Amino acid sequence: MGKARVAVNGYGTIGKRVADAIARQPDMQLVGVAKTRPDYVARRAVDRGYPLYVAGSGTPEKFAAAGIAVAGRLAELLAKADVVIDASPEDVGRENRPLYEKAGVRAIYQGGEEPEVAEASFSALANFEAGRGKRSLRVVSCNTTGITRAVSVVLPRWGVEHWEVTLVRRAADPAETKRGPINGILPALDMPSHHGPDARTVVPGLSITTVALVVPTTLMHVHVNHVRLARPPKDSGELLAAFRATPRFHVFAPWEGVEGTPQAMEFARDRAGAGAPADLMENVLWERGLRVEGRDVHFFQAIHQESIVVPENVDAVRAVLGISDGPTSIATTDRALGIGAAPRSVDRSPGRGSAPSGVREPPGRPTRRPRTIK
Ligand code: NAD
């Protein structure tokens, strides 16, 4: 087949990033994006040359009044597409489903929807094959994507007796002004949190317990993991090597001075080139933040909620169309998005990211003294 024709319905935090990612893929064509309201984000779509369509309760007249040209309504966009990626707000994807079914397009939903919205839940590293040839998939949420990626590294190598995660969740995305808290820590009192059962929609039978709390930050989530393995690894180096060798993981070495999420996101901004996103689509781990004691492993990982599901949506397109196997799709996506590129080696041309650098401490450079957290 020629290029896969992809539409994006819902052009907010996730939708605009997914649209940019689709536009960079060598085997895909972004046929358009759909939005309900004419605002600065709609202007962004037009500025990037994306055909803009009117979705939901929006009207072409409102867009015309704002001076934003539209190419038509959602139904016209769907008629041009092989696959639609629904990135509308939580639970709205379910309402949009009959539109996609009527148009006869394959559909990819987001993690804010219930699992039943689609034929299967999807996380590329963990279950690409389960998504192949399905008519609809649900890319699991940012946190569940982070968890299932890590499971996909650990489970086949050492087995998992039980996985426990405490999720320290960001209160809001940077552009959100109506969410909080801005002061305080909110434990999710219903235990376990929904993330564990959600992870099992991707890795059936996984023994996992999750609890969550929300803290006043917008940058990233942080997971505190405790895994009881079935077989002990030789040492922490063996685990770190496995994470480093897997796409979509970035492990910071001690000398890099990345103490937490602020520097991790600063690293991402520094890495971004012209046209490349200032996002961090990898699971972020710290070399010092992983400890092995026999069969017990403790490690931290940070998840950039705004972007981690972006490459998964791209892979989901190839899965539903059955046009690639998992490893090839993941490699193609990552190359096009510059995932795994080190700041100094990023190639700025679309579709030409560089391979993971595996950066180690340069000779003669002093290791930064760790700060004590009181
Ligand atoms: P968002 O509010 O930033 O964007 C949603 C967009 O959809 C907005 O532009 C909104 O105007 C538009 N919209 C509203 N009604 C619509 C309709 N009927 N048809 C089409 N578009 C409509 O939301 P988001 O953060 O991008 O979240 C989208 C989905 O992705 C949700 O399911 C969410 O749970 C999931 N998700 C969000 C994050 C995150 O951290 N933001 C991470 C992973 C997954």
Side-chain angles (χ1 to χ4, degrees):
M1 75 185 269
K3 289 190 175 192
R5 299 171 303 161
V6 184
V8 176
N9 185 28
Y11 192 73
T13 305
I14 300 298
K16 67 182 181 182
R17 288 175 166 83
V18 167
D20 290 346
I22 296 292
R24 294 172 74 88
Q25 301 305 310
D27 54 350
M28 294 182 196
Q29 181 198 354
L30 179 69
V31 288
V33 302
K35 207 177 172 331
T36 45
R37 279 178 296 128
D39 57 8
Y40 73 98
V41 192
R43 167 73 61 205
R44 171 193 194 275
V46 174
D47 289 347
R48 289 178 186 224
Y50 303 159
L52 178 63
Y53 291 79
V54 182
S57 56
T59 64
E61 292 73 29
K62 278 198 180 141
F63 281 83
I68 295 179
V70 294
R73 287 185 181 271
L74 176 65
E76 294 162 77
L77 173 59
L78 297 179
K80 293 185 165 69
D82 301 309
V83 183
V84 60
I85 298 178
D86 183 290
S88 63
E90 206 171 304
D91 291 331
V92 177
R94 175 171 46 89
E95 294 167 16
N96 288 335
R97 189 168 77 168
L99 305 175
Y100 308 148
E101 287 172 350
K102 190 172 163 209
V105 284
R106 287 176 158 75
I108 292 159
Y109 300 92
Q110 305 307 309
E113 307 299 323
E114 295 297 322
E116 295 71 34
V117 77
E119 287 177 44
S121 291
F122 182 81
S123 178
L125 281 169
N127 75 338
F128 187 97
E129 282 307 312
R132 270 184 93 155
K134 295 274 190 305
R135 287 206 66 81
S136 61
L137 288 177
R138 164 182 170 265
V139 170
V140 289
S141 72
C142 45
N143 279 308
T144 308
T145 296
I147 292 169
T148 50
R149 278 185 189 172
V151 170
S152 79
V153 176
V154 173
L155 182 64
R157 290 173 171 86
W158 298 284
V160 171
E161 201 171 290
H162 188 66
W163 197 300
E164 273 179 17
V165 195
T166 301
L167 298 104
V168 182
R169 300 175 60 193
R170 61 88 180 94
D173 291 338
E176 286 180 317
T177 49
K178 292 189 172 59
R179 289 180 62 170
I182 58 166
N183 185 20
I185 297 173
L186 305 184
L189 299 176
D190 290 328
M191 290 182 274
S193 70
H194 67 274
H195 307 92
D198 202 24
R200 277 195 291 270
T201 66
V202 173
V203 188
L206 178 70
S207 175
I208 181 168
T209 312
T210 53
V211 295
L213 50 151
V214 181
V215 299
T217 181
T218 64
L219 293 179
M220 301 177 93
H221 306 295
V222 171
H223 298 173
V224 188
N225 295 278
H226 169 209
V227 191
R228 165 79 41 94
L229 302 171
R231 301 174 289 281
K234 202 163 68 191
D235 54 21
S236 61
E238 197 175 70
L239 270 142
L240 287 164
F243 282 120
R244 281 201 163 101
T246 307
R248 301 187 186 166
F249 282 85
H250 188 95
V251 183
F252 283 112
W255 64 265
E256 294 182 270
V258 174
E259 294 179 313
T261 58
Q263 295 92 354
M265 286 312 300
E266 195 65 8
F267 162 87
R269 294 186 198 106
D270 290 345
R271 181 174 65 170
D279 283 331
L280 195 35
M281 301 183 198
E282 300 97 322
N283 286 30
V284 169
L285 275 73
W286 288 266
E287 202 174 303
R288 268 181 59 221
L290 185 146
R291 183 179 155 80
V292 174
E293 271 182 289
R295 290 193 291 128
D296 288 300
V297 179
H298 293 87
F299 71 97
F300 294 105
Q301 69 173 358
I303 303 298
H304 183 219
Q305 76 281 354
E306 294 175 286
S307 70
I308 186 173
V309 297
V310 170
E312 314 296 317
N313 274 276
V314 175
D315 294 328
V317 170
R318 295 196 189 93
V320 291
L321 292 175
I323 54 175
S324 174
D325 60 75
T328 308
S329 176
I330 289 167
T332 307
T333 303
D334 291 5
R335 208 165 34 247
L337 299 181
I339 296 175
R344 62 165 184 260
S345 60
V346 73
D347 180 336
R348 294 176 175 183
S349 53
R352 293 203 170 274
S354 30
S357 61
V359 178
R360 290 285 179 179
E361 180 174 3
R365 190 175 198 156
T367 298
R368 227 170 111 163
R369 199 183 151 84
R371 203 173 65 171
T372 310
I373 310 277
K374 297 228 171 66

